[in-house]
Amino acid sequence: MENNFDVIVVGGGASGLAAAVEARRAGASVLVLEKNHMPGRKILSTGAGKCNFSNRKVGPANYHGAPAAFLKKTFTALPPKKITAFFEELGLLWTEGEDGKLFPRSMKAQDVVAVLVNELASGGAQLRALTEVLSVRPAADGFEVEAQKVPPQWDKKSARGEKTVLRCSKVVLAAGGPCYPQIGGTARGAELLRGLGHDVSPQRPVIVPLKVREDFVKEMDGVRLEAALRLSSQSGDSWEARGEILFTDYGLSGPAALDLSRAAAEALAEGPLQAEADLLPDMEADELQALLAARAERFAERPFSHFAAGLHNEKVMKVCAGLAGINWQALTGQAEQEALYSFGLTLKALPMEVTGTLGFAEAMVSAGGCDTAGVDPATFASRKVKGLYITGELLDVDGDSGGYNLHFAWTSGILAGRAAAR
Ligand SMILES: Cc1cc2nc3c(=O)[nH]c(=O)nc-3n(C[C@H](O)[C@H](O)[C@H](O)COP(=O)(O)OP(=O)(O)OC[C@H]3O[C@@H](n4cnc5c(N)ncnc54)[C@H](O)[C@@H]3O)c2cc1C
């Protein structure tokens, strides 16, 4: 087997595949090493299987970690529109959803993986799956990359296979972050980078579901609704997001909760956070109370369940009625006026206590990572190790939810792949 390449890409995820495509197009011999059984496994899980691969509104303000000046240089070197052009050239049709989110037109993440892998195969790049990189060492005229055959993640019985030392002129380190270890997330890339002399800050989960103390969320498990969510910390800071929330048996997920999770993850170090969800954000509090009062008269001789039917989601109504002390089966007319008022208040501000996050196991993105001062923003070349390129989530750059993280992965991968092939 050939063991000498112009460019070795460590990690066949979003940024690694984009880097490999560009390096191969520029004429380099390319090998991608991926420890999973297939490349692009995490891409398959993105956007709930639809892959929100970019956003029409991409700009430095959507990112955290790296200074805005770094991202400005990156987006000057590869303007955001070039990402859709890159995918169009690979054969992918795409479409725009809410808030500028871009998806494959088929709404299938596997199409995104397919066009990348097809391009690599027809271009003659090599891809070795179930191959984990153990070390990357600078050597005369390039690098020595030590790799080992590994069994698939679900196979707990088979032993690891033989080790090989591969040689190359350039290395693109595209090993991603530690989120979702069940589909390949690992801190191994950060360790490799530290070994190569880069400053790497601790990685932490950021776009991550929130745990809530109250058991009533279990009764609303699976309910998705448009809400305005507000979090307040012990020290008086507060954050608000409007959008879809998803109640789960442990707490809150969905775009609005995920958007607030970055701030929540940091503030939780001080202790639990107070949360309030406005479940009818389109309606003013007075307007709602007037509506409830009129309804109370109309349904006075009927059970409260009839009063609630058609007002909002039934599971939510039951929880809010319970919190206001209203008997769901009793006649509406028997409910105290105060209890009806409190029911309205609960709908406008469902109180909860956020006690934690689900951590790396369920986080979509990690913050922290390789200090961007150590890389060139236009080529993603290491300023510390000649011939090394660092891409994607390994870097201390994390985007908001909405396609920004994959956008950065493709952008850094393309720029690194091009530069590495030079
Ligand atoms: C559930 C989920 C949903 C998401 N949805 C979206 C979304 O809709 N839009 C969006 O923009 N972002 C989304 N993200 C975030 C996005 O997937 C990541 O930011 C992006 O994939 C990072 O790209 P990357 O190339 O840095 O890393 P990855 O895509 O994670 O690729 C890294 C690859 O390197 C491999 N690897 C690691 N170490 C080694 C090693 N030592 N040897 C060999 N191989 C190795 C891994 O197995 C992996 O395949 C989501 C993430 C998750 C977990």
Side-chain angles (χ1 to χ4, degrees):
M1 203 185 286
E2 190 191 347
N3 276 346
N4 222 323
F5 297 85
D6 294 329
V7 178
I8 288 184
V9 179
V10 180
S15 67
L17 292 174
V21 164
E22 283 300 303
R24 183 66 205 116
R25 279 178 175 169
S29 59
V30 175
L31 170 67
V32 180
L33 299 173
E34 170 54 56
K35 70 180 172 55
N36 277 341
H37 69 291
M38 62 169 289
R41 173 61 190 87
K42 195 179 270 184
I43 301 172
L44 292 185
S45 299
T46 58
K50 294 181 187 150
C51 186
N52 173 200
F53 74 95
S54 178
N55 195 298
R56 196 175 42 76
K57 301 175 189 167
V58 165
N62 302 110
Y63 294 91
H64 312 264
F70 180 93
L71 290 152
K72 262 189 204 157
K73 285 183 188 151
T74 298
F75 294 136
T76 303
L78 191 68
K81 276 192 175 161
K82 297 279 182 188
I83 295 304
T84 43
F86 171 77
F87 278 105
E88 280 165 17
E89 213 179 317
L90 293 175
L92 188 82
L93 298 184
W94 55 272
T95 184
E96 185 175 330
E98 273 178 15
D99 298 328
K101 291 178 187 170
L102 306 184
F103 296 88
R105 202 183 164 100
S106 63
M107 289 288 176
K108 290 199 183 319
Q110 66 247 45
D111 284 346
V112 176
V113 177
V115 294
L116 289 159
V117 172
N118 292 348
E119 180 77 7
L120 288 178
S122 64
Q126 285 195 40
L127 204 153
R128 294 187 199 160
L130 296 177
T131 308
E132 181 171 14
V133 170
L134 305 178
S135 68
V136 174
R137 283 188 300 268
D141 299 333
F143 294 87
E144 283 181 357
V145 175
E146 188 186 20
Q148 184 174 32
K149 277 284 166 202
V150 289
Q153 240 178 335
W154 61 83
D155 177 357
K156 303 290 176 209
K157 288 191 182 144
S158 304
R160 287 172 158 254
E162 60 180 279
K163 291 183 184 172
T164 326
V165 175
L166 304 148
R167 285 177 181 78
C168 59
S169 312
K170 312 275 180 68
V171 167
V172 178
L173 206 46
C179 300
Y180 267 74
Q182 59 277 33
I183 53 173
T186 169
R188 176 54 74 88
E191 284 160 28
L192 292 175
L193 272 175
R194 283 193 189 102
L196 287 161
H198 272 271
D199 295 327
V200 183
S201 61
Q203 289 155 302
R204 51 184 202 284
V206 281
I207 302 184
V208 57
L210 303 173
K211 282 193 214 163
V212 156
R213 188 179 305 285
E214 288 74 15
D215 273 343
F216 63 65
V217 290
K218 292 188 180 26
E219 293 163 44
M220 297 193 279
D221 186 20
V223 174
R224 283 176 187 277
L225 45 83
E226 181 74 15
L229 184 64
R230 185 185 168 83
L231 300 182
S232 321
S233 74
Q234 311 252 328
S235 55
D237 291 323
S238 64
W239 305 270
E240 215 172 312
R242 176 142 177 200
E244 195 179 75
I245 56 173
L246 167 67
F247 288 100
T248 64
D249 63 349
Y250 56 79
L252 293 170
S253 188
L258 296 174
D259 278 349
L260 294 182
S261 63
R262 175 179 289 100
E266 275 180 36
L268 277 162
E270 286 175 25
L273 309 178
Q274 295 309 312
E276 277 180 2
D278 180 349
L279 306 176
L280 285 166
D282 290 329
M283 217 179 259
E284 292 299 326
D286 292 352
E287 197 189 338
L288 175 64
Q289 292 295 358
L291 175 94
L292 296 180
R295 235 175 138 92
E297 269 187 37
R298 189 158 154 228
F299 291 96
E301 300 305 321
R302 288 163 60 177
F304 192 77
S305 57
H306 290 206
F307 167 99
L311 192 57
H312 208 325
N313 178 286
E314 189 187 7
K315 288 182 181 173
V316 173
M317 295 288 91
K318 274 189 178 163
V319 165
C320 293
L323 291 173
I326 296 175
N327 183 336
W328 186 253
Q329 301 301 348
L331 294 182
T332 305
Q334 288 172 6
E336 301 278 342
Q337 264 202 336
E338 230 173 73
L340 277 173
Y341 190 72
S342 154
F343 176 72
L345 291 183
T346 310
L347 276 172
K348 288 299 286 177
L350 178 69
M352 291 167 281
E353 190 174 63
V354 174
T355 55
T357 74
L358 289 197
F360 285 126
E362 298 287 332
M364 288 173 198
V365 182
S366 57
C370 180
D371 186 348
T372 49
V375 297
D376 179 325
T379 60
F380 289 86
S382 161
R383 295 191 199 275
K384 300 203 181 239
V385 183
K386 195 164 177 277
L388 175 71
Y389 298 78
I390 305 157
T391 61
E393 213 174 308
L394 257 184
L395 291 160
D396 187 0
V397 177
D398 61 290
D400 295 331
S401 68
Y404 301 101
N405 287 291
L406 280 172
H407 186 95
F408 180 73
W410 316 124
T411 302
S412 55
I414 290 170
L415 289 170
R418 277 181 197 167
R422 250 175 243 147

